[in-house]
Amino acid sequence: MRLGIEVSNITKKYNGDPILRNCSFSFKKPGVYILTGPNGCGKSTFLRISSLIEPPDSGTVIFFSDDNPVPADLQLRRRITLVLPKVGVFNATVFRNIAYGLKIRGIHGREAEEKVNRALEFVRLSHKKDQNGLTLSSGETQRLGIARALVIEPEILFLDEPTASVDQKNSLIIEEIILAMKKENGPTVIMTTHDQSQANRLADTLLVIRDGVLSAGGDRK
Amino acid sequence: MDSIIESFSKALSLILNLDRELREIIFLSIEVSGTALIAATIIGLPVSALLGFKRFPLRGAIISMLNTFMGLPPVAVGLFIYLLLSRSGPLGFLALLYTPTAMIIAQTILAFPIVASLSHSAIVSVDPIIRQASMTLGATPLQISLAIIREARYGIISAVIAGLGRVMAEVGAILIVGGNIAGFTRVMTTTIAMETDKGNFELALALGIILLTISLLINLALYFIQKRGVAGVNR
């Protein structure tokens, strides 16, 4: 029933320079997939293409449920979400930021409030809920981004370098959040990081991108 | 010097006693400028959104034109509307010349480029990451646009207030198309001009003080709105 992704022969160029070359992978099982590799290797591009934010130059991204392909429409986009490295915080309270995904789905009132409060608790930001989202530290901002994504209960959660610009304390909190998601049978997580040790700590499946070429590091757990 | 002080004290007495004529002039001014501003906002906001979100031929030319029209000379607008609405003009049959409606039309034309252009600037200044963030959360194109407009709200409110400042202080256009008819189309700015000409400074000064107060309040509102918007970003 859970969504999977079949990425086939993805190629992407920026200004004529190849960023991704014939990358293919099948995200079938739930769990935490970590894409790692040096800066500029194409991890984020791969993630953006896989999450349907950006089209590839060639190749296909097909989502499937029970082996049946799912059309790439708004309904599908509402079953997945991507947290960008620069989260894109609205000039509103933390609470309203997190409630946004619910609001656009027509979920309001007590139901929305309960979901937002749960998400806030999960990312340990309950004490900041009435604060303007733009006033948070970079680590808290990433946690806000994760809460904003989790509140809409995605089946696949893409995280693009969530710990790249945060301090060690927040980095550990984010790792704990990801592990807690896994423990609570949360969404499939597909995450990029250039931190190899973090990749080793979190990954069920490790993927490596080097010079635009994707290779599977294998199942780790 | 004594006559200035005397005029001031009489003007203050007119304000404090809320003279009937003064009251009517103030209410008509607010009615005309307020209606014009609402009309300019209703037309200007969708135009600014269209220019901010869509790419189409002549978009650049329209933006340049709006920017140019922000400095439209009121007398030129007044003359244009006069020619349109005069008995021999193409819209003469509407019999709108020398009515508050004609004044509203003129002020709408003056406020529209300000509201549209400044709102457009506010919309395009929103960080592009907001569009992507909304998209990743499953927003439809309309919901994405609304999220961006919401982020631009302080700039848009500033644009509307700037438009209000423009029309409240305007005299040339409404004098031409309104005719400054007592009790019918006489507003604060046209009264000030006329009473000054007549050497009747008390009423002119009283209205001048009120106009300045309104202008000060508008600018204070603008200052606090901009401060609030910037505070949200910088905190």
Side-chain angles (χ1 to χ4, degrees):
Chain A
M1 204 65 108
R2 192 188 276 258
L3 273 180
I5 318 176
E6 188 74 50
V7 178
S8 308
N9 299 314
I10 292 294
T11 299
K12 185 78 181 178
K13 287 180 182 175
Y14 285 134
N15 301 323
D17 295 330
I19 299 294
L20 295 175
R21 305 164 202 255
N22 285 317
C23 296
S24 299
F25 194 78
S26 189
F27 299 91
K28 280 182 180 163
K29 290 186 295 185
V32 178
Y33 295 84
I34 303 285
L35 279 95
T36 186
N39 282 335
C41 69
K43 303 184 295 289
S44 293
T45 306
F46 183 85
L47 208 66
R48 293 168 67 83
I49 291 172
S50 305
S51 59
L52 305 176
I53 292 297
E54 197 175 317
D57 290 339
S58 65
T60 55
V61 177
I62 296 171
F63 283 76
F64 57 86
S65 180
D66 288 339
D67 291 332
N68 297 315
V70 178
D73 55 11
L74 179 68
Q75 295 312 313
L76 172 65
R77 284 208 295 113
R78 288 191 166 183
R79 294 169 69 182
I80 63 174
T81 190
L82 162 68
V83 180
L84 298 156
K86 192 182 168 196
V87 170
V89 178
F90 303 121
N91 189 355
T93 61
V94 169
F95 184 92
R96 286 180 73 112
N97 263 279
I98 296 173
Y100 177 76
L102 298 172
K103 191 176 137 194
I104 60 175
R105 285 164 175 76
I107 301 169
H108 302 277
R110 186 168 291 270
E111 187 188 355
E113 200 176 325
E114 281 170 8
K115 283 175 187 279
V116 173
N117 284 336
R118 262 205 310 276
L120 277 166
E121 211 170 298
F122 197 74
V123 300
R124 302 176 213 174
L125 278 179
S126 297
H127 60 296
K128 301 267 183 178
K129 77 178 200 181
D130 296 322
Q131 198 170 314
N132 188 306
L134 294 169
T135 65
L136 298 181
S137 71
S138 54
E140 290 167 340
T141 300
Q142 279 298 330
R143 281 149 60 193
L144 182 151
I146 294 172
R148 200 165 63 175
L150 283 179
V151 80
I152 57 176
E153 296 168 11
E155 291 170 61
I156 300 177
L157 172 62
F158 297 88
L159 297 171
D160 192 2
E161 296 274 9
T163 59
S165 58
V166 307
D167 57 25
Q168 202 182 357
K169 181 186 154 208
N170 273 292
S171 180
L172 285 173
I173 293 174
I174 290 168
E175 284 187 22
E176 284 167 17
I177 290 167
I178 293 166
L179 291 172
M181 273 191 260
K182 191 161 73 171
K183 199 174 161 191
E184 293 184 12
N185 210 11
T188 296
V189 175
I190 305 175
M191 170 180 149
T192 60
T193 179
H194 61 270
D195 181 343
Q196 191 60 49
S197 58
Q198 183 182 61
N200 290 332
R201 283 195 295 276
L202 294 175
D204 290 328
T205 304
L206 193 61
L207 302 167
V208 181
I209 299 186
R210 200 173 291 277
D211 297 327
V213 178
L214 177 76
S215 55
D219 286 350
R220 305 182 56 80
K221 288 166 191 169
Chain B
M1 189 64 187
D2 282 350
S3 66
I4 294 177
I5 293 168
E6 196 188 329
S7 296
F8 256 110
S9 72
K10 283 186 179 170
L12 286 174
S13 152
L14 278 175
I15 295 170
L16 292 174
N17 293 328
L18 266 179
D19 177 78
R20 186 169 159 269
E21 187 188 1
L22 191 73
R23 225 169 38 219
E24 279 177 7
I25 291 169
I26 293 167
F27 286 149
L28 183 65
S29 298
I30 292 171
E31 189 188 328
V32 167
S33 297
T35 311
L37 187 71
I38 290 168
T41 305
I42 289 171
I43 307 165
L45 279 189
V47 169
S48 66
L50 188 73
L51 292 169
F53 297 130
K54 299 280 179 197
R55 298 289 176 270
F56 52 88
L58 295 178
R59 178 178 165 270
I62 294 172
I63 293 169
S64 300
M65 210 161 71
L66 279 178
N67 289 338
T68 308
F69 283 0
M70 280 171 71
L72 268 178
V75 283
V77 172
L79 178 64
F80 176 70
I81 301 294
Y82 182 91
L83 292 173
L84 280 179
L85 298 180
S86 66
R87 198 172 292 176
S88 56
L91 300 176
F93 65 93
L94 294 172
L96 290 175
L97 199 61
Y98 302 134
T99 65
T101 307
M103 295 156 74
I104 290 169
I105 293 170
Q107 291 205 334
T108 301
I109 291 173
L110 287 169
F112 161 73
I114 293 175
V115 174
S117 181
L118 296 182
S119 297
H120 166 256
S121 297
I123 288 170
V124 296
S125 301
V126 171
D127 192 335
I129 201 74
I130 292 295
R131 173 184 289 275
Q132 289 193 359
S134 306
M135 199 193 292
T136 60
L137 292 167
T140 61
L142 177 65
Q143 288 169 333
I144 293 170
S145 299
L146 291 175
I148 293 169
I149 288 172
R150 193 174 185 284
E151 286 305 291
R153 63 193 180 279
Y154 293 112
I156 291 172
I157 294 169
S158 299
V160 174
I161 291 178
L164 179 62
R166 163 83 154 167
V167 292
M168 282 301 285
E170 191 278 319
V171 59
I174 48 170
L175 192 61
I176 294 174
V177 300
N180 199 24
I181 303 165
F184 186 52
T185 58
R186 187 162 290 173
V187 291
M188 285 194 281
T189 50
T190 56
T191 311
I192 293 171
M194 189 191 69
E195 297 296 334
T196 307
D197 266 357
K198 284 162 53 183
N200 180 12
F201 297 116
E202 294 82 17
L203 185 58
L205 265 175
L207 288 168
I209 290 166
I210 292 165
L211 201 58
L212 264 176
T213 309
I214 292 173
S215 177
L216 180 70
L217 290 174
I218 290 170
N219 278 296
L220 273 176
L222 192 62
Y223 170 75
F224 283 114
I225 286 165
Q226 283 172 341
K227 198 176 158 201
R228 201 172 160 200
V230 171
V233 174
N234 289 345
R235 263 184 302 176

